[in-house]
């Protein structure tokens, strides 16, 4: 398993972050991944710490970069975004400028949740949500076709979400 490494002031790699975590830190991370809305007092009780000690640890984990944000996971269907679409993109050129232009433009695509540079047949994979296939067709015609430098777009409409999680193993 790869570990993230801390950088010291000079930029050299320090000890792996995961090695700096004790059992209590890992327990805090597991609980927060399941429910980040938990109160500090309840979190402290779950991990057998006092509330002030727990808060200090959570703040330390944030400062270390292990907690990058606290979010609410929304129900896509309730917000008329029930259709999940995976999109493979091939650019017409593999230059730094074409990649930069595409990456800047893709951030403005409605409903785009993720975009990743990948190896293999495609240059990018995008994941987006939209209401239904009609709204996806509109999005495709109005936005996706105008992304700069695109030679090919392949869309994969998700029929069933078998596994979708935000929880990492700690």
């Amino acid at each position: 398993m790869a570990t993230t490494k801390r950088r010291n002031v000079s930029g050299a790699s320090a000890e792996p972050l995961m090695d700096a975590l004790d059992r209590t830190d890992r327990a805090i991370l597991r609980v927060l991944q399941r429910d980040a809305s938990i109160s500090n007092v309840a979190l402290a009780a779950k991990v057998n710490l006092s509330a002030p000690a727990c808060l200090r640890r959570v703040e330390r984990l944030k400062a270390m970069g292990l907690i990058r944000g606290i979010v609410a996971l929304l129900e896509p269907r309730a917000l008329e975004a029930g259709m999940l679409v995976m999109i493979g993109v091939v650019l017409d050129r593999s230059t730094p400028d074409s990649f930069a232009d595409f990456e800047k433009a893709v951030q403005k695509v409605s409903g785009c949740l993720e975009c990743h540079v990948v190896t293999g047949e495609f240059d990018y994979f995008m994941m987006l949500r939209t209401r239904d296939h009609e709204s996806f067709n509109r999005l495709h015609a109005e936005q996706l076709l105008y992304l700069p430098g695109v030679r090919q777009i392949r869309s994969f409409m998700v029929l069933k979400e078998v596994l979708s999680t935000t929880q990492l193993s700690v």
Side-chain angles (χ1 to χ4, degrees):
M1 172 187 275
T3 57
T4 305
K5 294 190 179 217
R6 245 189 322 210
R7 300 276 174 193
N8 63 24
V9 177
S10 69
S13 190
E15 69 185 69
L17 285 177
M18 290 300 290
D19 292 347
L21 301 180
D22 63 16
R23 185 178 345 180
T24 303
D25 290 331
R26 291 171 192 266
I28 288 170
L29 293 173
R30 281 192 297 275
V31 171
L32 289 176
Q33 281 191 107
R34 285 191 299 274
D35 182 9
S37 70
I38 189 170
S39 72
N40 183 59
V41 171
L43 176 60
K46 284 187 180 270
V47 298
N48 298 314
L49 285 176
S50 68
C54 185
L55 185 59
R56 280 191 301 274
R57 281 184 181 248
V58 170
E59 292 303 318
R60 189 183 97 248
L61 293 168
K62 286 178 181 178
M64 291 171 69
L66 287 163
I67 299 173
R68 66 178 186 195
I70 305 291
V71 300
L73 299 176
L74 307 180
E75 175 50 52
R77 285 165 192 78
L79 297 169
E80 296 185 345
M83 174 164 276
L84 181 62
V85 183
M86 310 273 186
I87 299 170
V89 176
V90 178
L91 298 184
D92 58 5
R93 292 172 301 161
S94 292
T95 66
D97 287 342
S98 62
F99 278 78
D101 291 345
F102 176 83
E103 290 172 15
K104 183 178 177 184
V106 79
Q107 295 187 37
K108 297 175 185 167
V109 173
S110 302
C112 187
L113 303 173
E114 298 181 22
C115 182
H116 305 276
V117 175
V118 296
T119 61
E121 183 180 343
F122 298 101
D123 293 312
Y124 292 90
F125 269 114
M126 298 169 58
M127 183 171 69
L128 64 86
R129 283 201 173 270
T130 187
R131 183 171 12 111
D132 52 27
H133 70 275
E134 289 93 3
S135 62
F136 175 73
N137 283 340
R138 268 191 311 281
L139 178 80
H140 186 273
E142 295 170 3
Q143 294 182 45
L144 297 178
L145 290 178
Y146 295 100
L147 289 170
V150 173
R151 180 177 72 205
Q152 182 182 68
I153 295 175
R154 288 200 186 156
S155 303
F156 305 90
M157 306 233 175
V158 174
L159 301 176
K160 177 181 176 184
E161 290 181 54
V162 177
L163 174 65
S164 178
T165 184
T166 60
Q167 295 183 27
L168 300 174
S169 178
V170 287

